[in-house]
């Protein structure tokens, strides 16, 4: 079982809709979770991190963490075509980031 | 602006040659840097942790004699792919931890696309 699992997608949503990206992890002891956005051919950029159960909001982005169920999700409200990218979920394991394979999001006009 | 500078951004080389990739932290000292490799449509895979002044720590399955890492200063880590082969063609990304006022933040370089012919 992979440490971090994501559906590779693509996830297609219309402009203005809410995009929901999900990630599950296997190590119940994991504490810190990160969402990165990666455009094709570019390096990842941090969107959000979350440590505590519940929701964390930052602008159009909301990260949700449920440690009991071992999943973390990212909601993007009012999706824009510029949000089209691959979204990587990552967890912190002894100061190393372990990445999921990423979900490709396509926002169409 | 960029916090971590990675150079070159792309390189094409012949099979059997060696390629050096540089990763520099700008305006901060990084005792720890990380090197990742990403194949097309796959996730970033951690190759090694680069520690200033000491030997790098390699992940399982990564050949330390093939991927030479040197972290000779607090602002520079280099990855040398020795005797490169076509299967080494990949996107290589470095990252560095910036510590400031008790807070840690990870910054990525812009990545290096390596193509081995």
């Amino acid at each position: 079982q992979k440490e971090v699992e994501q559906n590779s997608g693509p996830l297609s949503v219309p402009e203005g809709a809410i995009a929901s990206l999900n990630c599950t992890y296997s190590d119940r002891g994991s504490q810190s979770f990160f969402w990165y956005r990666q455009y094709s051919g570019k390096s990842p950029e941090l969107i959000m991190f979350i440590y505590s159960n519940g929701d964390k909001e930052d602008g159009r982005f909301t990260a949700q963490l449920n440690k009991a169920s071992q999943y973390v999700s990212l909601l993007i409200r009012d999706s824009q075509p510029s949000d089209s990218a691959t979204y990587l979920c990552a967890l912190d394991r002894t100061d190393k980031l372990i990445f999921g394979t990423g979900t490709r999001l396509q926002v169409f006009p | 602006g960029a916090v971590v500078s990675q150079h070159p951004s792309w390189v094409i080389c012949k099979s059997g040659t060696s390629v050096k990739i540089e990763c520099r932290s700008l305006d901060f000292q990084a005792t720890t840097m990380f090197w990742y490799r990403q194949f097309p449509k796959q996730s970033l895979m951690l190759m090694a942790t680069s520690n200033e002044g000491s030997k790098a720590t390699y992940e399982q399955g990564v050949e330390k004699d093939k991927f030479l890492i040197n972290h000779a200063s607090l602002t520079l880590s280099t990855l040398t792919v020795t005797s490169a082969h076509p299967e080494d063609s990949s996107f290589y990304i470095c990252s560095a931890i910036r510590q400031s006022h008790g807070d840690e933040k990870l910054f990525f370089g812009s990545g290096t696309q390596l193509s081995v012919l």
Side-chain angles (χ1 to χ4, degrees):
Chain A
Q1 183 184 9
K2 292 181 181 178
E3 285 197 67
V4 182
E5 298 218 44
Q6 294 181 257
N7 188 315
S8 61
L11 172 66
S12 292
V13 301
E15 184 174 357
I18 296 175
S20 177
L21 303 156
N22 300 309
C23 172
T24 59
Y25 59 95
S26 59
D27 183 0
R28 190 171 284 277
S30 300
Q31 297 293 322
S32 307
F33 304 88
F34 304 81
W35 281 101
Y36 285 86
R37 177 174 60 195
Q38 185 178 25
Y39 293 108
S40 181
K42 304 294 183 182
S43 61
E45 51 182 335
L46 181 66
I47 299 175
M48 292 187 72
F49 59 87
I50 186 167
Y51 302 143
S52 305
N53 270 329
D55 295 0
K56 180 182 179 182
E57 189 174 316
D58 184 0
R60 294 187 297 115
F61 300 98
T62 299
Q64 299 174 319
L65 175 61
N66 185 321
K67 291 187 178 181
S69 302
Q70 295 175 240
Y71 81 78
V72 57
S73 61
L74 179 70
L75 301 178
I76 306 175
R77 289 182 298 281
D78 189 23
S79 296
Q80 301 297 311
S82 59
D83 294 325
S84 298
T86 296
Y87 289 80
L88 301 167
C89 170
L91 59 82
D92 188 348
R93 176 170 59 82
T94 57
D95 293 331
K96 300 174 187 176
L97 277 182
I98 307 299
F99 287 87
T101 53
T103 298
R104 190 156 62 92
L105 173 66
Q106 294 178 334
V107 181
F108 55 92
Chain B
V3 179
V4 174
S5 171
Q6 188 173 340
H7 179 81
S9 55
W10 60 270
V11 59
I12 301 172
C13 69
K14 291 183 179 179
S15 186
T17 60
S18 295
V19 174
K20 181 187 282 188
I21 303 170
E22 292 187 349
C23 182
R24 293 182 185 273
S25 57
L26 306 178
D27 299 326
F28 71 97
Q29 295 179 333
T31 55
T32 303
M33 292 186 178
F34 302 93
W35 287 97
Y36 291 85
R37 180 170 53 183
Q38 186 178 35
F39 292 107
K41 297 186 180 181
Q42 294 189 27
S43 188
L44 280 76
M45 296 300 296
L46 180 64
M47 298 175 67
T49 303
S50 172
N51 303 296
E52 188 269 335
S54 64
K55 292 183 179 180
T57 305
Y58 290 82
E59 295 298 302
Q60 193 173 9
V62 178
E63 299 175 58
K64 62 180 181 180
D65 294 329
K66 180 170 182 61
F67 299 99
L68 301 179
I69 291 173
N70 187 307
H71 196 153
S73 79
L74 286 169
T75 59
L76 174 64
S77 175
T78 61
L79 168 68
T80 301
V81 182
T82 62
S83 187
H85 291 285
E87 57 265 30
D88 298 322
S89 299
S90 186
F91 191 52
Y92 292 85
I93 308 174
C94 71
S95 66
I97 295 176
R98 186 179 74 181
Q99 295 175 316
S100 175
H101 306 295
D103 186 36
E104 280 190 1
K105 214 169 180 181
L106 183 71
F107 292 92
F108 284 90
S110 54
T112 298
Q113 183 64 53
L114 171 63
S115 296
V116 184
L117 304 178

